[in-house]
Amino acid sequence: MLKTLGAHIREFKKDSILTPVFMIGEVIMETIIPLLMASIIDDGVQAGNMNHIYLIGVLMIVTALFSLTFGILGGQFGSRASAGYARNLRKAMYENIQTFSFSNIDKFSTSGLVTRLTTDVTNIQNAYQMMLRMCMRAPASLICAMAMSFFISPRLASIYLVAVILLGCVLGLIVSQATQHFKQAFPKYDALNESVQENVSAIRVVKAYVREDYEVEKFRTASGNLYKIFCKAESIVIWNNPVMNFTVYACILLISWTGAHMIVQDALTTGQLMSMLTYCMNILMSLMMLSMIFVMMTMSAASARRICEVLEEKADLTDPENPVTDVKDGSIVFENVSFSYKKDAKTPVLKDVNLEIGSGETIGIIGGTGSAKSSLVNLISRLYDVTEGRLLVGGVDVKAYDCEVLRNQVAVVLQNNVLFSGTILENLRWGDKDATEEQCRHACELACADEFIRKMPEGYNTYIEQGGTNVSGGQKQRLCIARALLKKPKILILDDSTSAVDTATDAKIRQAFAQAIPGTTKLIIAQRISSVEHADKIIVMHDGQIDGFASHEELLETNEIYREVYEAQMSGSGDFDEK
């Protein structure tokens, strides 16, 4: 874990080294000041030597200025190192997430990834800055103050030593109890973020079903659970202050009492007693800082493990050593393909699929909900790998391709259409970043989107809100189809992506495909038989297997499932899921 996290310090190593150096310099200056103060009292005030007072006073000012300068520089370099480190961690996590296959993404919830990129990284940033500054300052101050105390008076310093041992044991107990609660907090953060994300993304549904009170209560519960955990942890941590204050004042009383007797016996000077009291505060405050460091480190350790889970996650799908970089054509062959989302699944999602599709063919795919239609097409662009068998695209096993090359030749319009915040042109150019406005317009004409875009006030420069909330479901689907067409793919997959458009528009889109991209293999998943009946062939899926593969006319004669659904839809009394 340390190796994984440490690799991202990179260009901030210099700042990370300079910060503790300056903090140690600050501690040394602060350690010298009580000695100078003792000299002023003993050799200046009591001896009536004003020159000595002026000289030592100037030295104290210079020492204090050095201490201030070292502290400022330590803070500056520490802040830069910790902020830069946090930036590198976020960047590394985000970049690694981009390499994940769907199976990798399935291991993490969206809210969990958001918490890792925000709260967890912030905890690491704070802990790293504290480690560079306080983890150096507190032990150094403790050691220097203890050493100077034994140098001045071993008898009085022994009081510190006993107090430090007792206080260390008590603070250690407090920290160990508090950290158990802090460890439980991060899963609660995930639940809280999940509640917020789900509510905001589905706010229209929430309002449509008048579920605001339910969502408020769910958020209150998630927030309340987090509140209770932190209250329990803080109720333990707050014992730091009373225990610390009791120890400090007990030490001051003991040192003052013992020191006074030693002064009377000429075993200690007044200035030395003042120095010992100052060192007493330094030692005990350093111990207090160390206890807080332990709490922060424990909190950050949980965050560090969660961050490392993302950083160390390796993509399940990787390119071979010498990948194929050219997709010959859009032919597709399934050879005894079986597939499961989880390796230990008892029942596969797809079972022994054998299928051969020629380049340029239009293939319809229909089947009931859960019949694995989407799973079948997801394998073509290698969003998942087959569990058994082989899948060939352009006559080559998909595992032999460079993933980027393969996916650039397989355009997919998924069931859940996503538009990003930006103009319509910017969204369209996800298909081809170098596409001209004319090319974008032509793609939209094929997808029957040009007409409604022209009616918008800004036309193709109309701004799309996050998630495409300012366009209808049908408009969103047509924009996503246009975006896919701009890729000029050899294979185009439409995963139920015309479900929100009317039948006439659906027919126009299919006709445009036949005329404009005849060489592209088109796979159209649909619930309506009218959307696929004109396809070259139609795949009938049932329970993860191919129940039929033929033309519309042939299926009507040979496939019972297809025939019954067709008759039900033609009579307007049912759909595929009612079979």
Side-chain angles (χ1 to χ4, degrees):
M1 185 171 73
L2 292 176
K3 184 178 179 180
T4 300
L5 295 175
H8 299 285
I9 298 173
R10 292 197 296 266
E11 69 268 34
F12 299 100
K13 287 180 181 178
K14 179 181 176 183
D15 297 304
S16 300
I17 293 171
L18 288 176
T19 300
V21 169
F22 284 123
M23 298 315 299
I24 291 173
E26 183 185 18
V27 168
I28 292 172
M29 294 299 106
E30 289 181 353
T31 305
I32 293 172
I33 289 176
L35 290 177
L36 297 176
M37 183 177 65
S39 179
I40 287 179
I41 294 172
D42 293 337
D43 301 326
V45 176
Q46 291 185 351
N49 187 345
M50 293 301 297
N51 289 332
H52 185 79
I53 293 174
Y54 291 142
L55 176 62
I56 301 301
V58 170
L59 286 175
M60 285 184 68
I61 292 172
V62 172
T63 304
L65 288 174
F66 271 109
S67 177
L68 177 64
T69 302
F70 290 150
I72 291 172
L73 290 173
Q76 180 181 346
F77 284 113
S79 297
R80 187 157 62 192
S82 59
Y85 182 41
R87 181 202 69 184
N88 288 348
L89 283 177
R90 286 193 180 97
K91 182 181 177 184
M93 288 173 67
Y94 190 79
E95 288 177 348
N96 199 40
I97 290 170
Q98 301 308 306
T99 69
F100 287 177
S101 64
F102 278 23
S103 58
N104 293 111
I105 294 172
D106 292 343
K107 296 178 184 178
F108 303 95
S109 66
T110 303
S111 57
L113 289 174
V114 170
T115 304
R116 285 169 167 84
L117 284 163
T118 53
T119 304
D120 287 330
V121 173
T122 300
N123 285 340
I124 293 294
Q125 177 180 346
N126 294 335
Y128 188 60
Q129 182 168 190
M130 184 174 283
M131 184 177 71
L132 293 178
R133 299 181 65 189
M134 295 299 103
C135 276
M136 281 295 172
R137 177 185 172 81
S141 180
L142 180 66
I143 292 169
C144 288
M146 188 66 76
M148 294 307 299
S149 298
F150 273 97
F151 175 75
I152 294 171
S153 174
R155 181 180 172 186
L156 291 179
S158 62
I159 296 174
Y160 298 160
L161 189 60
V162 173
V164 165
I165 294 172
L166 292 175
L167 186 59
C169 293
V170 174
L171 293 182
L173 179 63
I174 291 172
V175 169
S176 64
Q177 292 296 316
T179 51
Q180 294 178 12
H181 296 293
F182 282 126
K183 287 179 180 178
Q184 299 172 14
F186 295 102
K188 303 299 181 184
Y189 268 122
D190 290 350
L192 184 66
N193 283 340
E194 184 177 3
S195 175
V196 173
Q197 179 192 3
E198 197 172 51
N199 179 269
V200 172
S201 61
I203 190 66
R204 285 168 174 76
V205 178
V206 172
K207 290 189 174 297
Y209 284 86
V210 197
R211 298 282 283 178
E212 292 92 341
D213 291 341
Y214 172 79
E215 289 296 324
V216 168
E217 183 59 33
K218 188 169 74 170
F219 177 82
R220 185 182 289 118
T221 300
S223 180
N225 290 336
L226 192 61
Y227 166 78
K228 290 175 184 177
I229 288 176
F230 273 107
C231 279
K232 288 179 181 178
E234 293 297 336
S235 66
I236 297 172
V237 172
I238 57 172
W239 282 96
N240 270 4
N241 281 334
V243 170
M244 180 69 190
N245 288 334
F246 174 81
T247 306
V248 167
Y249 291 124
C251 281
I252 289 174
L253 287 173
L254 286 172
I255 291 169
S256 298
W257 177 265
T258 307
H261 283 283
M262 292 177 68
I263 290 173
V264 171
Q265 298 169 3
D266 291 329
L268 192 72
T269 66
T270 304
Q272 288 175 330
L273 178 60
M274 292 294 295
S275 298
M276 292 294 289
L277 291 172
T278 303
Y279 289 134
C280 171
M281 292 299 296
N282 287 350
I283 290 170
L284 298 177
M285 289 306 296
S286 296
L287 201 59
M288 182 69 169
M289 278 191 281
L290 284 173
S291 71
M292 298 309 298
I293 289 169
F294 288 139
V295 172
M296 177 60 76
M297 289 301 176
T298 304
M299 288 181 61
S300 63
S303 293
R305 283 191 292 271
R306 288 159 55 84
I307 290 171
C308 284
E309 286 176 3
V310 178
L311 291 175
E312 293 174 352
E313 179 74 14
K314 301 299 182 184
D316 290 339
L317 307 182
T318 55
D319 294 332
E321 289 186 9
N322 298 302
V324 177
T325 56
D326 180 57
V327 180
K328 182 182 176 182
D329 55 45
S331 62
I332 304 168
V333 178
F334 286 79
E335 295 181 353
N336 304 313
V337 169
S338 295
F339 169 70
S340 299
Y341 285 102
K342 294 183 179 180
K343 295 179 181 178
D344 56 350
K346 295 181 180 179
T347 305
V349 176
L350 289 169
K351 291 162 277 190
D352 197 28
V353 174
N354 286 281
L355 191 63
E356 187 170 341
I357 299 170
S359 181
E361 286 188 324
T362 299
I363 305 296
I365 304 175
I366 62 173
T369 302
S371 60
K373 303 184 298 295
S374 296
S375 299
L376 180 77
V377 298
N378 282 340
L379 298 176
I380 296 171
S381 55
R382 209 185 169 202
L383 297 176
Y384 294 95
D385 262 342
V386 301
T387 306
E388 296 178 12
R390 280 205 315 163
L391 171 56
L392 309 176
V393 171
V396 177
D397 193 320
V398 291
K399 294 181 180 180
Y401 282 111
D402 178 285
C403 277
E404 186 174 339
V405 169
L406 175 64
R407 289 170 187 168
N408 274 331
Q409 294 301 325
V410 181
V412 184
V413 183
L414 298 170
Q415 281 178 308
N416 299 320
N417 299 285
V418 176
L419 294 176
F420 298 89
S421 53
T423 65
I424 289 177
L425 277 177
E426 288 171 346
N427 271 277
L428 292 172
R429 284 173 178 147
W430 274 67
D432 180 2
K433 63 181 179 181
D434 298 319
T436 64
E437 186 169 345
E438 185 58 36
Q439 289 173 323
C440 292
R441 195 183 308 277
H442 179 63
C444 288
E445 288 173 353
L446 295 176
C448 297
D450 182 65
E451 183 179 353
F452 78 79
I453 294 174
R454 287 179 181 275
K455 293 179 181 178
M456 292 182 169
E458 302 294 328
Y460 281 81
N461 291 311
T462 299
Y463 189 83
I464 299 295
E465 301 294 340
Q466 183 178 8
T469 56
N470 58 333
V471 291
S472 70
Q475 290 172 338
K476 189 187 297 185
Q477 284 187 336
R478 283 176 276 174
L479 287 172
C480 290
I481 291 171
R483 181 173 63 188
L485 290 174
L486 280 171
K487 291 183 72 172
K488 301 179 182 65
K490 288 186 169 66
I491 299 173
L492 175 63
I493 298 172
L494 303 179
D495 188 352
D496 206 15
S497 52
T498 58
S499 58
V501 302
D502 57 85
T503 306
T505 303
D506 186 12
K508 288 180 183 179
I509 293 173
R510 285 187 280 106
Q511 184 179 1
F513 286 169
Q515 295 174 355
I517 50 173
T520 297
T521 303
K522 296 167 281 291
L523 303 179
I524 304 172
I525 297 176
Q527 292 293 339
R528 296 184 301 218
I529 287 182
S530 61
S531 296
V532 298
E533 63 181 331
H534 300 292
D536 297 318
K537 289 184 179 180
I538 300 169
I539 300 170
V540 180
M541 299 289 298
H542 179 68
D543 195 25
Q545 294 178 306
I546 295 178
D547 191 76
F549 181 46
S551 66
H552 171 70
E553 292 76 14
E554 291 172 327
L555 287 173
L556 283 177
E557 294 179 4
T558 62
N559 191 274
E560 183 181 352
I561 294 176
Y562 188 85
R563 183 172 55 253
E564 289 186 10
V565 173
Y566 174 77
E567 291 172 354
Q569 289 189 0
M570 290 303 100
S571 65
S573 61
D575 62 18
F576 211 96
D577 283 333
E578 292 186 16
K579 169 65 184 73

